[in-house]
Amino acid sequence: MKNISTKYISIFSFFLLLGLTSCDNALDVDLPSNQLSSESVYSTESTAEAAVNGIYQSMVADFYYYRVHAVLGQTSDELVPRTGIANVFSSNEIPETDGTINTNWGELYKTIYNANNVVEGVTKSTTLNAAKSKNWIAEAKFLRAYSYFYLTNLWGNVPLVLTTNVDVSALLPQSSQETVYAQIVLDLTDASKDLPTDYKKL
């Protein structure tokens, strides 16, 4: 009886081990047909430029400017809602759970992620035009600095994310406002060196 039990346990263990080792293969799936890998995006100038333009498109498509600037305008008495009805922004009684505030936080960090993606992808690429690469990285750094300017002025100490590695960024603590401002100055200094005064020359 003991031998039979041992036999079944051995068989069960074998198939369990086989199933576990095959899980990795099952999880390795191809990208959807309408998406490109990071390496592919930054292998040609047209797709790399599209990635840079995608940062701006995301900001416009998600009403980024409206959410950030309209809220700040109302809190500073610069803007008044057309309805004339007092709201949490104009009265500066914004609850911590306000959806607009959470959205602004998320949109600003999405822009930062996209900018980091461009900086990393263009820097690693060996096939892109050198002059255009400098310009694209400069644009991304400017947009990253722009986003951090609003983040640190609205929230003070915030996580300073300079990578697309989620395993790293997910565990980042808050950085001091001085550290964030130092990164803003660094990004803007780098951007000012490589941004062209005339885009027609590119």
Side-chain angles (χ1 to χ4, degrees):
M1 186 72 175
K2 185 177 180 181
N3 290 337
I4 295 175
S5 298
T6 304
K7 178 181 177 183
Y8 283 122
I9 290 173
S10 299
I11 294 173
F12 175 76
S13 299
F14 171 76
F15 282 107
L16 178 63
L17 183 62
L18 182 65
L20 290 175
T21 55
S22 63
C23 284
D24 287 340
N25 293 332
L27 294 175
D28 292 335
V29 296
D30 294 331
L31 282 171
S33 59
N34 63 340
Q35 294 183 19
L36 295 173
S37 67
S38 181
E39 293 77 12
S40 300
V41 169
Y42 298 105
S43 62
T44 68
E45 292 180 12
S46 60
T47 52
E49 186 171 31
V52 178
N53 292 339
I55 305 176
Y56 298 103
Q57 180 60 35
S58 175
M59 294 167 71
V60 175
D62 293 326
F63 299 101
Y64 181 104
Y65 292 105
Y66 167 76
R67 289 192 181 116
V68 174
H69 298 286
V71 168
L72 296 180
Q74 291 174 65
T75 58
S76 63
D77 296 330
E78 178 186 342
L79 298 176
V80 178
R82 289 183 179 181
T83 59
I85 300 174
N87 59 34
V88 296
F89 305 117
S90 58
S91 63
N92 281 310
E93 298 175 353
I94 308 169
E96 293 180 1
T97 55
D98 182 83
T100 302
I101 302 303
N102 291 333
T103 300
N104 285 346
W105 173 276
E107 292 299 329
L108 286 164
Y109 269 110
K110 184 167 74 171
T111 300
I112 290 167
Y113 178 88
N114 291 337
N116 288 339
N117 189 33
V118 168
V119 172
E120 292 176 3
V122 174
T123 300
K124 292 177 183 178
S125 178
T126 58
T127 58
L128 299 176
N129 176 279
K132 290 184 177 181
S133 293
K134 285 185 176 181
N135 177 71
W136 292 327
I137 291 173
E139 284 188 68
K141 287 186 174 182
F142 169 80
L143 292 173
R144 184 168 68 186
Y146 174 89
S147 298
Y148 270 121
F149 177 81
Y150 279 101
L151 273 169
T152 194
N153 276 281
L154 288 170
W155 282 278
N157 299 341
V158 296
L160 185 59
V161 182
L162 303 174
T163 178
T164 59
N165 188 329
V166 179
D167 293 331
V168 174
S169 61
L171 302 175
L172 284 176
Q174 292 181 348
S175 293
S176 68
Q177 202 167 34
E178 290 76 13
T179 301
V180 177
Y181 273 126
Q183 183 63 47
I184 291 172
V185 171
L186 179 61
D187 277 346
L188 293 179
T189 301
D190 289 346
S192 66
K193 295 175 183 176
D194 295 323
L195 282 175
T197 55
D198 185 357
Y199 273 78
K200 294 178 182 178
K201 294 181 181 179
L202 288 177

